[in-house]
Amino acid sequence: MKLDIFEYHSFCSTDYLGNPAGVCFVEKLNDIQMQIIATKNNFSETAFISRLPKSNEFRIRFFTPNIEIDLCGHATVAAARFLFENYEINKVTFHANKTQLLCNIQENEVSLLLPKQSIRKSNPTTEIQNVLGSECIDFYETEIHYIGVMKSFKSLINWKNDFYNSGPYEKDQLILTSENKDYDYALRMFGSKKLGVKEDPVTGSAQPPLFEYWSQIKNKSKYLTAYQASHEGGILKVSNNIKGIHIKGEVKLIKHFIQNI
């Protein structure tokens, strides 16, 4: 079987490459086939979309190279960009495993409404503290994330500990964050071996809990800008409204290729 795969880079800019995502429009693929494709693609996530009976509504599923996950921001905006370019759809509702995701496309930017995520201040276990290191000055958790607040942007950039090969831990995602002179905050995002993603280049789904934290620190309740300080780098515009957290950024098509399964 031959399938069309589209590679998009999400939250990119003139200066930063953003996060690569695969997009595959499918009607009949089973779970095993989708996982095979995602593993071959080797993007941090590949999004598989299929039509639903209602106009402008689609099923979306996300696969890392190793497993299926419930939410991925950068692959969602990539899928929205694909629908805009190929079907002239500029407003779309995606039905993911556990939530609905709403996207709007305007010129080169795509916005995504994500559900808010609460954070709680916590005390890291000895094992987590060893991974975080001495430059981590505060620690929080969400349902799916560990969040370490770093002493400085320099300490965020220089962090080289190994979350991927340590553990296993209760959660598979570690967010490190710090202040930054050019943006409201900076971050890096790390995954476990279970996810098969050592460091995610740009992470849309990390922004709701970070918005909750940094909006209080910065005393800004409506709008923040974020810089993801991965090797590729990316910029996100993050805003708050009653329905959730909006993330917005540029999304560009990089290439179209054929995948055999």
Side-chain angles (χ1 to χ4, degrees), residues 13 19 23 37 63 67 77 80 83 86 128 137 175 192 238 255:
S13 68
N19 196 351
V23 178
I37 294 166
F63 286 78
I67 63 170
V77 296
L83 291 173
N86 291 275
I128 289 291
I137 59 174
I175 303 169
S192 68
V238 191
K255 63 181 178 181

Side-chain angles (χ1 to χ4, degrees), residues 208-228:
L210 290 180
F211 187 93
E212 180 174 337
Y213 175 81
W214 285 108
S215 63
Q216 296 178 44
I217 299 296
K218 297 286 185 176
N219 196 25
K220 294 181 178 180
S221 61
K222 294 295 184 182
Y223 179 83
L224 297 172
T225 57
Y227 166 52
Q228 190 137 344

